[in-house]
Amino acid sequence: GQNIDQPTEMTATEGAIVQINCTYQTSGFNGLFWYQQHAGEAPTFLSYNVLDGLEEKGRFSSFLSRSKGYSYLLLKELQMKDSASYLCAVRDEGNNRLAFGKGNQVVVIP
Amino acid sequence: NAGVTQTPKFQVLKTGQSMTLQCAQDMNHEYMSWYRQDPGMGLRLIHYSVGAGITDQGEVPNGYNVSRSTTEDFPLRLLSAAPSQTSVYFCASSYMPGTVNSPLHFGNGTRLTVT
């Protein structure tokens, strides 16, 4: 089975940097995904990590440590449109199921 | 290229009624899945399929049936609706897990209310 833990909410100022953490426990690991979900909309894919280290995509970066069961998503130069829920999801190696955490709500204020 | 298309967008059912939520994708994805999303619970996997003719249960399958007769379509059936099934339902698809960077692509969701 899988157990994924994320903090629930954080507030940050426009232009700032915010780090969203995700810890997980799984019997077999086959990749970690980050998604963004605006209120009332579908989740959209942000980043993917399967090996340890940092993946950078523009203003967003994601880090993975498989030995620690830990990932973070780093949002730089925050913009108002970044106000959303950020979902961490882990794929199980055995059955290929993708399990989601409950999401972290980020509120960006001027 | 429409991506993942879900219908209907909104639905109200009475307890005991049955209905089918439709999902179709045009990306030739082998993997398709259904999630429900409830406040404070996150996305929970209902059923999934790794190809035509193959389906399997997820975390919360009770009260739901699925079939996968074609690669494109993956309908979700509610057999006898209950108020506990009031939720937002998302269909999602991807290339086979294990291929490099195969993220799920989500439909726009179906908002279901059971009274």
Side-chain angles (χ1 to χ4, degrees):
Chain A
Q2 294 158 290
N3 187 28
I4 301 163
D5 192 31
Q6 292 183 256
T8 55
E9 185 169 323
M10 55 177 58
T11 301
T13 305
E14 200 173 8
I17 299 173
V18 68
Q19 178 173 315
I20 304 164
N21 297 320
C22 174
T23 58
Y24 65 89
Q25 294 174 311
T26 182
S27 51
F29 177 83
N30 194 21
L32 185 143
F33 297 81
W34 283 97
Y35 284 82
Q36 181 190 60
Q37 186 176 25
H38 287 104
E41 297 183 8
T44 55
F45 169 69
L46 286 179
S47 70
Y48 170 71
N49 296 74
V50 67
L51 300 176
D52 291 351
L54 190 68
E55 294 285 338
E56 297 189 81
K57 287 175 81 172
R59 293 188 300 115
F60 295 169
S61 304
S62 58
F63 171 82
L64 174 68
S65 169
R66 288 172 295 171
S67 63
K68 292 186 168 62
Y70 169 70
S71 174
Y72 69 72
L73 180 70
L74 200 67
L75 283 62
K76 303 174 209 172
E77 302 169 17
L78 275 177
Q79 301 175 8
M80 298 299 290
K81 67 179 181 179
D82 297 330
S83 291
S85 183
Y86 291 86
L87 313 177
C88 167
V90 174
R91 176 160 280 149
D92 185 283
E93 184 177 40
N95 57 30
N96 283 317
R97 295 183 188 178
L98 193 63
F100 284 81
K102 294 179 182 178
N104 183 310
Q105 184 68 39
V106 172
V107 177
V108 181
I109 57 176
Chain B
N1 190 340
V4 180
T5 302
Q6 282 185 242
T7 56
K9 291 186 180 179
F10 300 94
Q11 183 70 51
V12 179
L13 290 177
K14 294 187 188 307
T15 297
Q17 287 184 315
S18 62
M19 80 158 294
T20 299
L21 278 62
Q22 301 291 344
C23 176
Q25 53 89 12
D26 61 359
M27 296 173 282
N28 204 29
H29 285 165
E30 301 94 338
Y31 185 90
M32 295 187 75
S33 53
W34 278 101
Y35 288 85
R36 59 177 290 175
Q37 188 172 38
D38 304 292
M41 299 294 291
L43 285 159
R44 292 182 291 168
L45 182 64
I46 305 171
H47 285 285
Y48 65 103
S49 167
V50 297
I54 306 169
T55 63
D56 209 342
Q57 296 182 347
E59 184 185 351
V60 288
N62 292 342
Y64 308 95
N65 272 358
V66 292
S67 60
R68 184 93 180 271
S69 56
T70 66
T71 300
E72 293 78 20
D73 299 298
F74 191 44
L76 178 73
R77 296 184 190 83
L78 279 71
L79 309 173
S80 176
S84 61
Q85 293 178 305
T86 293
S87 187
V88 180
Y89 291 84
F90 287 102
C91 177
S93 70
S94 73
Y95 293 112
M96 269 306 292
T99 56
V100 175
N101 194 1
S102 54
L104 283 177
H105 296 259
F106 283 83
N108 287 330
T110 295
R111 283 145 186 83
L112 175 68
T113 302
V114 183
T115 61

